[in-house]
Amino acid sequence: MKYDFDRMLNRKQTNSYKWDQSERLFGADDVLPLWVADMDFESPPAVKEALVQRALHGTYGYSIQPEAYNAAIVSWFARRHDWQLKPEWLSDAPGVVTTLSLAVELFSSLGDRVLLQSPVYAPFFDVIRMNGREVADSPLIERDGRYIMNYDQLEQEMQRGAKLMLLCSPHNPGGRVWEREELERLGELCIRYGVTVISDEIHCDLVMSGHRHIPFASLSEELAQRTMTALAATKTFNLAGLHTSFAVTANSEMKKAFDRRLRTLALNMTPYFNANAVIAAYNEGEAWLDELLAYLEANRDYAIDYLSEHLPQVKTHRPDGTYLLWVDCRGLTTDVRQIKELMFRQAKVAFNEGSQYGSAGEGFVRINYACPRSFLHEALERFCRAAQTVESK
């Protein structure tokens, strides 16, 4: 391989959200962090070089978005996803969660019920509740270690008046890459009941072999007109600290309202470094991504096999995409406090505890396996050893 994903980076004392909060969050500095979803790999060399060259200018004034930025995005989605975007569909936002929150504010009213499918990324709940809306939860159905949509309950929630849905595609934390037929069936319901969809597709490039991401808005022109897609290069190329993302919609009225709200909140200015990083990533990072995906897939399989062999009391979902492993620990305990005690105090590892993804996540943990395999091995070994010690008492 051209790129060394086995090299362990020292991210401590770099103001790392993941690495420099262990003592404050988990009670000890030697807790191994495999929680927040950034990667312990260097970004593509072309991105690093683009940022260095940008920094060398030495004058960090107000910036504008170059035409090459939209062109790089359009080209990427045509190549990787067969999705033909138009530059005029794109709106920059500081982050995907920002887009979700603004969309809830703009495309629903106070007190409205907004659909989601739990267990799901915790900010989905936050952007609904903190905007004065109610969560309309249609929990996913777990079948043979794999989530499927509950179409009957989705329809019931739509019949009860839910007119806005937050879709997570690929799904976080379950790792499902929804198949075309699944999305088409959801789309039929949305059209029938007049539901607008805000689709978080930030993990769209992180898809394992044998699977393909289908952009929800690409299914039909009718769905494109009722969909806003939240996207970013950040998960794909490990750029989360740059706070760069973009929203996509073919609906000119939705875009106009969204852009106006961005200006109202003074969120419409172009950060100095972001465009250069995104252009380099999309134009020159493809070979790096292909090698990354092979490494991630091997990490996924290693983690599943290790847990199966050393801690058969837990069951894992095999993710189609993302770099997140959803582990059912209910064979050990369903007590949230016990799971946290096991992780943070006894094993000295930090996975995400599942209840933050909704009540359907209780008894689960989420493991970020986007790290060198030696580090992943050490974390799994600690967890299994601690769990076995608890079981033997």
Side-chain angles (χ1 to χ4, degrees), residues 70-99:
N70 282 349
I73 293 171
V74 169
S75 177
W76 179 265
F77 281 87
R79 296 196 314 274
R80 300 290 294 199
H81 301 289
D82 196 25
W83 191 18
Q84 309 303 318
L85 303 180
K86 295 181 179 179
E88 58 267 27
W89 294 353
L90 306 180
S91 300
D92 259 29
V96 161
V97 176
T98 304
T99 294

Side-chain angles (χ1 to χ4, degrees), residues 9 40 54 74 97 103 111 159 163-164 170 176 192 230 303 305 310 345 351 365 368 374 387:
L9 305 174
D40 287 307
R54 184 69 166 156
V74 169
V97 176
Q159 289 172 339
K163 296 297 184 184
L164 182 67
R176 278 299 320 277
R192 185 183 310 160
D305 290 345
H310 294 90
R345 305 293 183 189
F351 308 146
V365 298
N368 174 355
S374 60

Side-chain angles (χ1 to χ4, degrees), residues 333-352:
T333 179
T334 58
D335 188 288
V336 168
R337 289 171 299 178
Q338 289 181 5
I339 290 176
K340 289 182 177 180
E341 176 73 17
L342 172 61
M343 288 192 296
F344 308 148
R345 305 293 183 189
Q346 295 163 341
K348 293 294 185 73
V349 295
F351 308 146
N352 291 102

Side-chain angles (χ1 to χ4, degrees), residues 117 140 147-149 151 167-171 175-183 212-214 320:
Q117 297 170 291
L140 297 167
Y147 284 126
I148 61 174
M149 296 190 192
Y151 295 102
L167 173 66
C168 196
S169 178
H171 182 258
R176 278 299 320 277
V177 173
W178 304 114
E179 297 174 5
R180 180 179 294 274
E181 293 76 13
E182 294 175 293
L183 293 172
R212 181 188 172 198
H213 173 73
I214 306 295
D320 309 330

Side-chain angles (χ1 to χ4, degrees), residues 344-393:
F344 308 148
R345 305 293 183 189
Q346 295 163 341
K348 293 294 185 73
V349 295
F351 308 146
N352 291 102
E353 186 277 312
S355 67
Q356 66 181 280
Y357 305 97
S359 59
E362 291 180 5
F364 288 76
V365 298
R366 191 191 79 167
I367 302 175
N368 174 355
Y369 58 84
C371 58
R373 194 155 309 137
S374 60
F375 183 69
L376 177 63
H377 169 83
E378 183 177 356
L380 294 174
E381 184 179 49
R382 286 190 187 190
F383 184 69
C384 291
R385 185 170 59 242
Q388 290 162 351
T389 299
V390 171
E391 283 281 293
S392 65
K393 290 182 178 179

